[in-house]
Amino acid sequence: MKRRTFLAQASVSGASVAFSSLAHAAYVPSVVITWNQALLASIAATRTQAPVAARAISMVHEAVYNAWAAYDAVAAFTLSGLTRQPLAARTTTAKSIAVCWAASAVLADLFPTRQSVFSALLASTTPSTGLSTADAAAAAVGRNAANALLAMRHVDGANQLGDLAPGAYSDTSGYVPVNGPDTVVDPTRWQPLRVVDTGTGLTVVQQFLTPHWNRVKPFALWSASAYRPSFSPAAPTMTELLQVVNFSAALDNTTKAQVELWAANPGSVSPPGQWMQIAEQVSANDGNTLDKDVKLFFGAGQALLDASIAAWDAKRAYDSVRPITGVRYYLRGQTIRAWGGPGLGTVTMLGEQWRPYQRPTNPSPPFPEFISGHSTFSRAAAEVLTALTGTPFVPGGLGTFVAEKDNFLVFERGPSETTVIQWATWYDAADLAGQSRRWGGIHPAEDDYPARVIGSNSGKNAWALALKYFSGELLTESIDAGQTWNFDGTITLRTPTRRGLFYQWEYTTDLQTWLPLTPTSQATDTTLSFVDTPPAGQRRFYRARWVAETP
């Protein structure tokens, strides 16, 4: 082996996050890496924003996982209708073909305008001549994995197809902002701004991005609000406001570079996509095989999905004011010192003139403040990488980002001298990502720290569940069930479930003979419920049972 430095694109400006590590000299990226790169390129090309990007990442890599699981001896599928392949068919070539077809089909569904890109990539990653019988079977395995995934995700609450409300991913929750772009009715609530759409150049009023995201089916979350933190008081405190202002006044080369490194604005790979790029570095460092890459990217992708749902649940629940509105409202008429705009440095201004260190045309995100999405995504991914690699430390000792003099900053010219940012652990990198939003005037610390906790829970629990799929342990785990007696004499039964497995409710009156209460049903969500109406005078005991009907 020899020492190498691995690079991954980390911002729209083309700068890179890198770490030095001992890499396998013969390392050849698996097709999982190839298709992950196609996914991230599509997110950037279509200006897909964070929550939708997280879902796209999870979808591609869940389909890839299920295609791969068909060739594994013990791994459990996450969805029904999929078949394990016979031992003779479990070859590296077959797995690779299945993975490629699965990824291609899901990407074509998510990004239909890039169909030609995916077709060309499929042709370059699978046999170029006519498919043999074995190759055709593997292609069918991949297509089946993609179709099962798409059938589930088309009705997962994201409104991808625009069938629940007009427009892909449009709001289905009925959200209406309290404030307008020119009027603050309630200074504790989010205010949509007039901004320049960098895609069209037109001035538009911001719309809350996916306020219905707490309705999207998660991976390991029992409910979108499972980790929701308390939020009090609703109004920003003077300490929070002055913290944001003081950070702005203290901006320097290092903190400006940090802000722009982790910003991942529309047109980049997005905040969750940055961590999938980092996962590519981990794969290269460890010399991953196809099998290892499938597990790495599946686990990270599902953690990022759950992080998006948990973070947006809090944003929708609290609808909290952004600093750009809070500082201008509460500090209006007061003299402050802060960043004055591109090339102006720190200047004296009135509170109502304050601006974040962001793009002048689009200075604040199109959704409420609490909690930080960057912190949630980053901590979730850091937990998966730590668990998978067995250490929180970055390979080679340090992660490194170099911002070259006058050749990196986008919000203004700079930095004025070459600047180096480094971190020793995945947690350090996640913390820097969260802190970057504080330096950028997007969040106070009160949004950062609770988000780290939520991200940690999302990452740990998603990885723990992924391990159970990998090992097949899901098929032997115990099932907890609960029941509620209703006033009308009915009984509501509930049990947590795992997607892709089959369950049945049973009852007994003597604790000896168990009888079926419901037909066998395949779980498509994380909870299975049933309302029973027992005969008058009959006392019933209930249980939920996993039924071995998976192929």
Side-chain angles (χ1 to χ4, degrees):
M1 297 189 293
K2 61 182 180 179
R3 182 168 293 276
R4 295 181 178 176
T5 299
F6 294 94
L7 304 178
Q9 294 303 311
S11 74
V12 70
S13 65
S16 298
V17 176
F19 58 76
S20 296
S21 60
L22 286 175
H24 292 253
Y27 171 72
V28 176
S30 75
V31 291
V32 176
I33 301 295
T34 303
W35 286 99
N36 187 68
Q37 292 171 345
L39 162 62
L40 298 183
S42 298
I43 288 172
T46 57
R47 307 180 65 79
T48 300
Q49 296 200 52
V52 178
R55 176 178 175 271
I57 290 167
S58 78
M59 287 175 62
V60 170
H61 289 293
E62 183 171 349
V64 163
Y65 166 76
N66 281 324
W68 168 86
Y71 298 92
D72 189 76
V74 298
F77 296 114
T78 66
L79 298 165
S80 65
L82 304 176
T83 304
R84 198 177 308 280
Q85 297 302 292
L87 184 61
R90 297 176 194 173
T91 66
T92 300
T93 298
K95 281 190 290 187
S96 178
I97 291 172
V99 161
C100 292
W101 280 86
S104 174
V106 175
L107 283 168
D109 183 83
L110 289 168
F111 306 103
T113 61
R114 291 175 60 81
Q115 174 68 64
S116 61
V117 174
F118 308 135
S119 295
L121 186 57
L122 183 63
S124 70
T125 54
T126 56
S128 56
T129 57
L131 292 177
S132 68
T133 301
D135 292 346
V141 168
R143 289 194 298 270
N144 289 342
N147 290 339
L149 185 283
L150 293 174
M152 184 271 287
R153 283 291 167 197
H154 282 171
V155 292
D156 71 346
N159 195 28
Q160 176 190 337
L161 303 182
D163 53 342
L164 302 178
Y169 305 107
S170 61
D171 180 32
T172 62
S173 69
Y175 175 84
V176 177
V178 171
N179 300 312
D182 304 310
T183 306
V184 177
V185 176
D186 183 346
T188 71
R189 305 283 288 277
W190 179 64
Q191 179 189 26
L193 305 176
R194 280 197 171 84
V195 298
V196 175
D197 186 319
T198 52
T200 65
L202 301 176
T203 298
V204 298
V205 175
Q206 290 177 323
Q207 302 291 319
F208 188 156
L209 177 70
T210 62
H212 62 294
W213 212 247
N214 59 353
R215 300 181 177 185
V216 175
K217 289 181 181 178
F219 174 65
L221 281 174
W222 295 124
S223 72
S225 62
Y227 308 139
R228 186 192 296 172
S230 59
F231 182 65
S232 180
T237 66
M238 190 57 64
T239 298
E240 293 174 17
L241 296 173
L242 292 178
Q243 173 198 125
V244 170
V245 170
N246 292 337
F247 269 43
S248 175
L251 282 164
D252 57 19
N253 282 329
T254 300
T255 51
K256 287 178 181 178
Q258 183 179 326
V259 170
E260 298 205 30
L261 165 64
W262 294 104
N265 288 315
S268 74
V269 298
S270 80
Q274 285 185 311
W275 285 93
M276 299 304 281
Q277 290 179 321
I278 293 173
E280 291 177 6
Q281 298 178 44
V282 172
S283 173
N285 173 77
D286 293 347
N288 274 9
T289 61
L290 171 67
D291 295 354
K292 290 182 178 179
D293 276 342
V294 167
K295 295 177 180 180
L296 165 60
F297 286 89
F298 173 73
Q302 305 318 307
L304 291 167
L305 170 68
D306 281 3
S308 75
I309 294 168
W312 257 250
D313 169 77
K315 289 179 182 293
R316 179 67 172 84
Y318 298 119
D319 194 34
S320 55
V321 64
R322 285 282 183 180
I324 192 169
T325 300
V327 170
R328 291 176 176 180
Y329 183 89
Y330 288 103
L331 298 183
R332 64 189 184 278
Q334 300 184 39
T335 301
I336 62 174
R337 294 274 293 169
W339 180 67
L344 298 179
T346 300
V347 301
T348 300
M349 66 180 73
L350 294 175
E352 58 266 35
Q353 297 172 319
W354 180 82
R355 63 170 66 184
Y357 179 69
Q358 298 290 320
R359 293 170 297 173
T361 56
N362 205 334
S364 192
F367 40 82
E369 173 195 73
F370 187 80
I371 54 175
S372 169
H374 277 66
S375 298
T376 312
F377 289 126
S378 299
R379 192 69 176 205
E383 294 290 3
V384 172
L385 294 181
T386 297
L388 184 139
T389 62
T391 175
F393 291 99
V394 174
L398 285 174
T400 301
F401 169 72
V402 179
E404 296 181 358
K405 178 181 177 180
D406 293 330
N407 195 35
F408 171 63
L409 300 184
V410 175
F411 304 159
E412 64 179 17
R413 182 179 175 84
S416 60
E417 60 184 22
T418 296
T419 301
V420 179
I421 301 172
Q422 294 182 314
W423 54 91
T425 70
W426 305 123
Y427 298 129
D428 293 340
D431 291 349
L432 287 174
Q435 291 166 10
S436 76
R437 306 304 275 174
R438 292 154 62 185
W439 285 108
I442 299 301
H443 289 287
E446 287 71 16
D447 297 348
D448 180 9
Y449 297 123
R452 297 185 194 185
V453 175
I454 292 174
S456 177
N457 288 333
S458 298
K460 287 179 177 178
N461 290 334
W463 182 247
L465 179 54
L467 289 176
K468 291 183 178 180
Y469 277 107
F470 301 158
S471 66
E473 182 185 342
L474 277 175
L475 307 183
T476 60
E477 70 177 359
S478 60
I479 301 174
D480 297 321
Q483 54 193 38
T484 302
W485 281 264
N486 304 315
F487 288 114
D488 61 0
T490 61
I491 299 174
T492 300
L493 309 172
R494 292 186 181 86
T495 185
T497 58
R498 305 299 193 189
R499 285 195 289 107
L501 301 188
F502 289 77
Y503 296 85
Q504 182 177 52
W505 284 105
E506 297 180 335
Y507 77 95
T508 181
T509 58
D510 57 10
L511 296 178
Q512 295 184 30
T513 303
W514 289 91
L515 302 172
L517 184 65
T518 65
T520 299
S521 60
Q522 186 259 336
T524 58
D525 211 333
T526 54
T527 303
L528 182 68
S529 61
F530 177 75
V531 178
D532 184 37
T533 305
Q538 184 182 87
R539 184 175 184 181
R540 289 183 171 183
F541 301 88
Y542 301 93
R543 72 180 183 187
R545 188 170 68 90
W546 171 77
V547 182
E549 289 196 15
T550 49

